[in-house]
Amino acid sequence: MHENISPITQLVNHLLGRLALAVLHALHIRSENPEFPIPQHIIMGVLVVIFVTILAVILKSRLSVEKPGAFQQTAEMLVTNPMGIGIRDILDESGGHHARSFLYFVGGISLFILFSNLMSLFPWFAAPTGHVTVPLACASLTFIYFNWQGMRTHGAVTYIKNFTAGTPWWIAWLIFVVEIISTCARLLSLTERLYANIFSSDLIYGLFVGLLSQAFASAWQWSRPAGLVVGIFPALIPLVFIALHLLVAFVQTLIFTALPASYLGIATAEEH
């Protein structure tokens, strides 16, 4: 399946493509697509980072304790809310009492994933999380971070020894291998869960819109009134899939917040 190239991707490659090719050539890296040496998911990911950074700067300049504005209230709802699904709420529940010290990392990853998931709802944009390398990068950062926090909290030797679960030496080697595999499997689990859901959501949306558009074109050629009737569906069906994609985007963000919080809680638990 060929990737639909956004006009934004075309523009960026038109402006910076030669520079990107020169850099890749200097590093002895061959571009998979010389016509578009800067991949779309990288461009979209950079745009998400820029967008979230701008929002953070604007929010910081408007912070008010006495009269918080709508923008501040919305941002606070993402951190903590009565439903208990804010980033801080999830950290408290899944990561333990000390988990708020991980708020900046987990919150940063969560916001990046949320806005990345939502990008494909807008014309000329695409969800970078719909490309496997972006979820893999987020999962890899999470994997490195929770293991590093575990070693930082308990010491590298003690942290690694805990993979034996305190079993006798004659069975410890087997438990150690099983625990290492189980821990590494988290990397694959985080990646595939996010990538598969966003990719499939975008794919289903595109397929249905394409099929309905073809039906509208055929009906219009046969009869104008029939074309108008059939044309209602291409106008309404996308609304259903937009609602579905919104649900998937938020659910996957919650999952990618809860699981890292849980992994951090396990890695830094006091019983270690």
Side-chain angles (χ1 to χ4, degrees):
M1 179 180 175
H2 296 285
E3 184 178 27
N4 293 323
I5 303 300
S6 162
I8 295 176
T9 302
Q10 296 177 21
L11 176 62
V12 172
N13 277 279
H14 176 72
L15 297 175
L16 303 175
R18 292 183 179 179
L19 177 61
L21 283 173
V23 172
L24 291 174
H25 180 73
L27 297 173
H28 303 286
I29 299 174
R30 183 178 179 181
S31 175
E32 294 182 0
N33 187 353
E35 186 177 356
F36 299 102
I38 308 177
Q40 180 160 273
H41 61 277
I42 292 179
I43 295 173
M44 295 299 163
V46 171
L47 289 177
V48 171
V49 173
I50 294 173
F51 179 70
V52 173
T53 302
I54 292 174
L55 287 181
V57 172
I58 295 174
L59 177 62
K60 185 177 180 180
S61 66
R62 296 183 178 181
L63 287 177
S64 174
V65 177
E66 297 179 355
K67 295 182 179 180
F71 184 31
Q72 181 178 338
Q73 292 176 0
T74 302
E76 289 175 352
M77 286 289 288
L78 291 174
V79 177
T80 182
N81 55 67
M83 297 176 65
I85 56 175
I87 297 172
R88 184 181 295 169
D89 302 320
I90 294 173
L91 279 170
D92 289 342
E93 183 177 350
S94 303
H97 67 278
H98 58 286
R100 290 193 181 184
S101 59
F102 313 132
L103 179 63
Y104 294 111
F105 176 83
V106 176
I109 290 285
S110 299
L111 290 176
F112 174 80
I113 290 173
L114 175 60
F115 285 100
S116 294
N117 293 347
L118 296 175
M119 283 194 76
S120 58
L121 295 176
F122 302 95
W124 293 9
F125 291 91
T129 42
H131 193 282
V132 68
T133 55
V134 176
L136 177 60
C138 295
S140 298
L141 287 173
T142 301
F143 181 81
I144 294 170
Y145 185 75
F146 80 74
N147 280 296
W148 175 69
Q149 286 292 346
M151 294 181 185
R152 182 169 173 265
T153 302
H154 306 292
V157 175
T158 302
Y159 180 73
I160 293 174
K161 282 177 63 178
N162 280 302
F163 283 96
T164 64
T167 54
W169 64 267
W170 54 271
I171 195 64
W173 65 272
L174 179 59
I175 300 299
F176 180 82
V177 172
V178 171
E179 287 294 325
I180 288 293
I181 294 174
S182 175
T183 301
C184 292
R186 296 172 182 174
L187 181 63
L188 179 62
S189 174
L190 286 171
T191 301
E192 287 300 323
R193 181 181 285 107
L194 177 59
Y195 162 68
N197 280 278
I198 300 303
F199 176 79
S200 60
S201 180
D202 286 343
L203 180 62
I204 293 172
Y205 175 80
L207 286 174
F208 270 87
V209 171
L211 290 172
L212 291 169
S213 298
Q214 291 178 3
F216 165 72
S218 299
W220 182 264
Q221 292 178 356
W222 176 64
S223 170
R224 296 294 187 269
L228 291 175
V229 172
V230 176
I232 295 174
F233 292 98
L236 296 180
I237 293 298
L239 297 178
V240 177
F241 284 97
I242 287 173
L244 178 61
H245 189 85
L246 281 170
L247 177 63
V248 171
F250 279 97
V251 168
Q252 290 307 310
T253 302
L254 287 174
I255 292 173
F256 214 105
T257 303
L259 289 179
S262 177
Y263 299 156
L264 282 163
I266 293 171
T268 59
E270 295 179 356
E271 58 265 21
H272 273 259

